[in-house]
């Protein structure tokens, strides 16, 4: 198994295929590189495809203190450098959207484009207040209860029960000290950095969305032509971004509707490549 050594931390990654621009896939909170298998299978016949486990997740090492969006972003740019990749398209899912945005902020010259799948902004205002609010919620409700609720809500009624169970069980297997420290920082990054990150983008961007969390904090499916606060934020900061809705599936669209997701991505990637 290939690993990148980063100051005593081993970061697991896989590289398959050949061709440019390389595609680098970044998973969400309490997930792993496995979420991208349908995309790896589809794209590795035509270009380089890199997946990894963020520190503290999957087969990668990690400690609670270093598990945050900023460090994850540094890890991704270190991986790009270690593999001596030309400018790559970074693809993030959920929390991974923040990670690839952070990586772009850190090293824009290494990035040819961005694909954000099921992105959002979950908090605004003062970063410390946002983090403190989440920590209070974790203390009051309990991390495992919140995690179960969070992942259960990622699937629509009628979703594949085996997929839902597998993803929930994998999330619960992430050590609580990792997840309970990371979740507040996730919210804090949105409050402190999301606007700045989006405003800095100067490469092609694809937004792929299937759901959003409404004002009642309920995740609901999107229909063609819908708009959301996330879409409006994107249009404000990145007016050239391409926004696509994949209807009828939950938060893991790349697993639940891989054919549709892959085709939309392939069209976007071809444009970036030329």
């Amino acid at each position: 198994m290939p690993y990148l050594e980063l100051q005593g931390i081993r970061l697991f990654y896989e590289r398959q295929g050949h061709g440019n621009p390389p595609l680098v896939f970044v998973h969400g909170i309490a997930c792993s590189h496995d979420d991208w298998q349908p995309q790896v299978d589809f794209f590795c016949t035509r270009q380089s495809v890199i997946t990894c486990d963020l520190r503290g997740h999957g087969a990668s090492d990690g400690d609670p203190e270093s598990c945050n969006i900023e460090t994850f972003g540094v890890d991704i740019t270190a991986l790009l450098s270690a593999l001596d990749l030309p400018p790559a398209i970074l693809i993030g899912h959920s929390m991974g959207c923040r990670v690839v945005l952070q990586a772009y902020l850190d090293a824009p010259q290494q990035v040819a484009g961005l694909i954000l799948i099921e992105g959002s902004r979950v908090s605004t205002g003062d970063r410390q207040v946002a983090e403190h609010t989440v920590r209070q919620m974790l203390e009051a409700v309990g991390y495992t209860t919140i995690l179960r609720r969070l992942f259960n809500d990622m699937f629509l009624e009628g979703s594949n029960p085996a997929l839902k169970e597998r993803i929930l069980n994998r999330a619960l297997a992430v050590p609580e000290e990792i997840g309970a420290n990371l979740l507040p920082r996730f919210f804090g990054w949105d409050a402190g950095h999301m606007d700045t990150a989006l405003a800095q983008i100067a490469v092609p961007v694809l937004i792929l969305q299937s759901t959003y969390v409404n004002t009642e904090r309920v995740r609901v499916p999107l229909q063609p032509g819908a708009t959301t606060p996330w879409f409006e934020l994107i249009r404000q900061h990145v007016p050239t971004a391409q926004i696509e809705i994949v209807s009828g599936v939950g938060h893991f669209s790349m697993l639940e509707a891989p054919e549709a997701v892959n085709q939309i991505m392939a069209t976007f990637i071809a444009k970036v490549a030329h």
Side-chain angles (χ1 to χ4, degrees):
M1 297 173 70
Y3 287 90
L4 177 66
E5 297 282 346
L6 294 169
Q7 298 177 330
I9 294 291
R10 296 196 314 156
L11 189 77
F12 171 79
Y13 72 91
E14 289 186 335
R15 182 178 186 177
Q16 299 181 49
H18 301 280
N20 296 323
L23 308 180
V24 179
F25 292 88
V26 181
H27 63 77
I29 190 169
C31 294
S32 80
H33 73 282
D34 293 335
D35 287 345
W36 302 110
Q37 196 58 53
Q39 287 66 51
V40 171
D41 293 342
F42 182 83
F43 286 105
C44 73
T45 59
R46 62 188 80 184
Q47 56 209 118
S48 293
V49 177
I50 296 93
T51 57
C52 68
D53 288 338
L54 296 171
R55 63 171 67 201
H57 293 73
S60 292
D61 298 336
D63 60 275
E65 189 55 39
S66 70
C67 288
N68 55 70
I69 305 300
E70 289 85 351
T71 304
F72 292 158
V74 169
D75 290 347
I76 295 301
T77 60
L79 183 62
L80 297 177
S81 297
L83 297 179
D84 195 25
L85 297 175
I89 296 177
L90 306 186
I91 301 114
H93 173 246
S94 194
M95 184 192 73
C97 294
R98 285 84 173 169
V99 177
V100 300
L101 286 170
Q102 182 64 55
Y104 175 77
L105 281 178
D106 293 340
Q109 74 282 359
Q110 292 182 285
V111 181
L114 294 165
I115 299 177
L116 308 181
I117 300 176
E118 285 290 284
S120 62
R121 180 173 62 182
V122 295
S123 58
T124 58
D126 183 85
R127 175 171 188 162
Q128 290 185 333
V129 171
E131 293 189 12
H132 179 66
T133 299
V134 177
R135 289 193 183 97
Q136 284 187 314
M137 182 177 65
L138 288 167
E139 290 177 6
V141 180
Y143 169 74
T144 301
T145 299
I146 288 174
L147 195 70
R148 284 186 178 277
R149 184 184 303 163
L150 181 67
F151 275 81
N152 277 321
D153 288 348
M154 291 178 182
F155 294 88
L156 305 182
E157 188 174 345
S159 293
N160 183 323
L163 176 65
K164 180 178 178 179
E165 182 180 16
R166 176 171 67 82
I167 288 177
L168 175 59
N169 288 338
R170 185 185 61 187
L172 292 169
V174 173
E176 180 172 341
E177 59 267 25
I178 297 288
N181 277 279
L182 176 55
L183 195 61
R185 293 165 176 169
F186 176 150
F187 278 68
W189 191 92
D190 275 21
H193 293 297
M194 180 64 80
D195 284 294
T196 300
L198 293 176
Q200 294 295 316
I201 294 175
V203 295
V205 177
L206 171 63
I207 304 296
L208 266 172
Q209 204 77 14
S210 297
T211 70
Y212 83 107
V213 178
N214 64 20
T215 54
E216 286 75 43
R217 307 302 299 167
V218 175
R219 186 177 295 278
V220 296
L222 286 172
Q223 301 301 322
T227 191
T228 69
W230 172 240
F231 289 174
E232 294 307 315
L233 185 68
I234 293 294
R235 292 185 179 114
Q236 174 189 342
H237 291 299
V238 197
T240 58
Q242 176 184 345
I243 298 176
E244 300 285 349
I245 293 174
V246 180
S247 299
V249 294
H251 191 54
F252 287 84
S253 58
M254 67 283 199
L255 289 170
E256 296 184 87
E259 296 85 1
V261 168
N262 291 347
Q263 288 299 330
I264 295 169
M265 287 176 55
T267 302
F268 173 80
I269 291 163
K271 292 178 182 177
V272 174
H274 294 92

